[in-house]
Amino acid sequence: MFISSVMQDTITRYVSPEFVITELNRYMNQLNGKKHSVSYYFTAIYLLIDTERKTIEYVNAGHPPGLLFEEGKPPVYLNPGACAVGFFDQMEITKQTFTYERPIRIVLYTDGLLEELPLPEDFPEEELETGVLAERLQSRIHEEPDPERIVELLLPRKSRNLIKTTSAWSSLRLPDRRVAIGEKGETR
């Protein structure tokens, strides 16, 4: 789909999380306007990390909450602040800002990971799987540098073999020591 090609240009031109998501929504609305019988949308989380100021600005547009692990602290959930991109012509977007002091690791994932996450037999239906994921990652996240190894520790082998990569990543080093990261979920 064309949205992946648009993302790089949008990140370079707009940088600010709320403007990037707004622009991506505009593109999706153009696509949806041409084909009235099918509506396209996607979830996304876009982060702007300033490593000098140690700040993170982000917008989560209907994506599963990212997890931010700062050494020695409980995980921070990067919760949604907007609906999925492409649902509406105009989006209400809430940018969040987080400041950190110690080394951090950020985990972004699609809902497919949560669907394959083994849960205890007595796990309450009303509970969110994200809490289980955060708890299991908390003890490993700063010790294991390889993301693939972390997935191996979280999921049984049969689940790892079933999961196919359905997300598109875009990462860009900005000139002033900031990093923009976007993660796009499956387009529906």
Side-chain angles (χ1 to χ4, degrees):
M1 178 168 199
F2 82 103
I3 206 71
S4 293
S5 60
V6 167
M7 189 179 278
Q8 186 79 13
D9 180 55
T10 303
I11 290 170
T12 305
R13 276 192 295 147
Y14 294 99
V15 181
S16 175
E18 59 266 54
F19 291 128
V20 167
I21 296 297
T22 298
E23 186 67 1
L24 292 174
N25 193 62
R26 187 178 72 77
Y27 278 104
M28 287 305 293
N29 284 317
Q30 286 177 348
L31 177 67
N32 286 336
K34 292 178 184 175
K35 297 183 179 184
H36 296 288
S37 63
V38 178
S39 291
Y40 296 99
Y41 69 92
F42 62 89
T43 64
I45 184 165
Y46 177 82
L47 299 95
L48 183 63
I49 303 169
D50 187 328
T51 57
E52 192 170 285
R53 290 190 180 107
K54 295 189 173 191
T55 60
I56 299 169
E57 296 177 357
Y58 74 91
V59 169
N60 183 336
H63 202 67
L67 297 167
L68 185 143
F69 295 91
E70 184 174 4
E71 249 180 39
K73 293 187 177 181
V76 173
Y77 294 82
L78 306 176
N79 289 313
C83 65
V85 176
F87 267 171
F88 304 106
D89 289 341
Q90 300 293 316
M91 292 177 66
E92 293 250 350
I93 298 172
T94 304
K95 176 182 78 173
Q96 305 290 328
T97 303
F98 181 81
T99 304
Y100 62 94
E101 298 169 4
R102 299 180 184 141
I104 61 169
R105 302 266 325 253
I106 298 172
V107 177
L108 304 176
Y109 55 92
T110 64
D111 55 0
L113 177 70
L114 295 178
E115 290 168 5
E116 293 299 322
L117 191 66
L119 299 171
E121 297 250 347
D122 59 345
F123 188 75
E125 269 191 51
E126 66 276 0
E127 293 291 319
L128 296 176
E129 294 91 348
T130 306
V132 173
L133 178 62
E135 182 181 311
R136 291 181 184 168
L137 285 171
Q138 180 72 34
S139 62
R140 299 180 174 114
I141 197 73
H142 290 287
E143 298 163 7
E144 180 57 61
D146 181 10
E148 287 184 25
R149 178 71 181 127
I150 290 173
V151 172
E152 287 175 11
L153 295 169
L154 289 173
L155 298 177
R157 183 177 306 278
K158 74 175 183 123
S159 295
R160 292 193 310 260
N161 293 338
L162 291 174
I163 292 180
K164 295 178 181 163
T165 304
T166 59
S167 59
W169 285 90
S170 181
S171 179
L172 175 66
R173 175 77 51 190
L174 300 173
D176 58 1
R177 300 179 67 186
R178 294 179 295 170
V179 178
I181 300 172
E183 204 271 343
K184 171 179 83 66
E186 190 172 5
T187 304
R188 303 192 201 282

